[in-house]
Amino acid sequence: MHRRQFLTSAAVAATLLAASPTFAADTAQAVVEAYVAAWNAHDSAKAAGYFADEVTYYDASVGKPVTGKEAAKTGVIDNFLKAVPDAVWTMKGKPVIDGDRVAFEWEFSGTNTGPWGDGTAATGKKFSFTGASMFSVKNGKIATQSDYYDALGFYKQLGLM
């Protein structure tokens, strides 16, 4: 009797599991939250691992998108984490989710103790600025990321303007 109940319960559980459209780890929100966590762990390879091969990364202060996983890793993630080894990227509030799109306001802070990728020397200054990011996630990978923030305020805090 117990064996038959167990087998019936296992069959029902397997059916429900197979019918489930996605697991929590596969959701757009989970992918983006894991990506932010990798940034905060200062693991650029892991962060870039959340990018689709042909990701488009748009920084509004630069104005020209970066295309491709390796270009986004070296041009954005490595650039920031080398220049700001104590970087902290904090999501403010809950993200807004619409299907495969995720948006949230954030605060980025740290101390500029390393040189920037463009050759600008470290300033040694602490900074904190807010912004917002929008992501699209396809097949469990970030297909696009667009960042919007007060670059002028950021540069002023670094003493670059």
Side-chain angles (χ1 to χ4, degrees):
M1 178 74 172
H2 291 291
R3 181 178 172 159
R4 189 174 13 199
Q5 285 177 330
F6 171 77
L7 291 174
T8 302
S9 296
V12 169
T15 302
L16 290 173
L17 193 58
S20 172
T22 60
F23 295 100
D26 295 330
T27 67
Q29 180 177 352
V31 169
V32 170
E33 288 175 348
Y35 168 70
V36 170
W39 267 82
N40 286 325
H42 306 119
D43 188 339
S44 64
K46 185 172 184 177
Y50 291 101
F51 286 148
D53 289 339
E54 294 303 316
V55 66
T56 299
Y57 191 113
Y58 177 72
D59 180 329
S61 72
V62 175
K64 181 180 177 194
V66 174
T67 304
K69 181 191 289 191
E70 189 57 32
K73 178 189 177 293
T74 58
V76 180
I77 302 171
D78 287 341
N79 183 31
F80 269 93
L81 293 180
K82 287 177 182 174
V84 188
D86 65 344
V88 177
W89 189 15
T90 305
M91 191 179 294
K92 296 174 73 174
K94 293 183 180 180
V96 177
I97 314 296
D98 183 17
D100 67 354
R101 296 184 55 82
V102 178
F104 61 91
E105 185 180 13
W106 46 258
E107 179 178 22
F108 195 85
S109 60
T111 308
N112 177 213
T113 57
W116 294 94
D118 66 359
T120 302
T123 64
K125 295 188 179 207
K126 291 185 178 292
F127 64 86
S128 178
F129 63 97
T130 59
S133 292
M134 298 182 69
F135 297 84
S136 67
V137 177
K138 307 281 187 202
N139 301 316
K141 297 287 185 179
I142 296 169
T144 64
Q145 178 178 348
S146 299
D147 294 338
Y148 304 91
Y149 58 92
D150 176 12
L152 179 60
F154 173 47
Y155 299 148
K156 284 181 176 180
Q157 288 181 60
L158 291 177
L160 299 173
M161 298 193 95

